Amino acid sequence: MDDNRMTNCTTFLQTRQKTLVALGWTLLVLIAGASLVVDSGSAHSWAEQHVPFFWSLFGFIAAVVIIGIARWLGRSGIQAPTDIYDRSLTPICEEEE
């Protein structure tokens, strides 16, 4: 039952990909616009006071770095091959026959 719901949700999102991208861009613009309204008088650093969208840029760059490190770690041997279940079952099935 849960697999069917997940499949339906994935299909629903895939058929509305352009709408989701537009929604993401709209949300990004709203967050960036809201960051301009925030009072920077009590900022703790020079960057917070003088760099527009500082925390938005900081969060974006941090996310890109985290994704890059995760991809590097995955390709360094942590990530299992996509056909691991096929490979691991084949010797067992051959031994039983």
Side-chain angles (χ1 to χ4, degrees):
M1 184 80 174
D2 289 335
D3 290 338
N4 194 17
R5 287 184 184 172
M6 185 60 78
T7 303
N8 290 341
C9 181
T10 303
T11 304
F12 177 80
L13 294 175
Q14 285 176 341
T15 56
R16 290 159 177 85
Q17 190 171 7
K18 288 183 179 180
T19 303
L20 290 174
V21 169
L23 182 65
W25 280 108
T26 303
L27 192 62
L28 181 66
V29 168
L30 287 174
I31 291 172
S35 70
L36 289 175
V37 180
V38 174
D39 180 29
S40 63
S42 61
H44 298 288
S45 67
W46 177 88
E48 287 180 79
Q49 287 182 342
H50 301 289
V51 177
F53 315 116
F54 172 75
W55 287 112
S56 298
L57 291 173
F58 182 82
F60 177 75
I61 291 170
V64 168
V65 169
I66 289 170
I67 290 169
I69 290 172
R71 292 183 80 184
W72 176 74
L73 284 173
R75 292 180 181 162
S76 298
I78 293 175
Q79 185 176 12
T82 56
D83 61 343
I84 189 151
Y85 296 112
D86 296 334
R87 282 198 273 162
S88 64
L89 291 177
T90 303
I92 294 172
C93 294
E94 290 176 358
E95 290 175 8
E96 291 177 357
E97 292 177 3

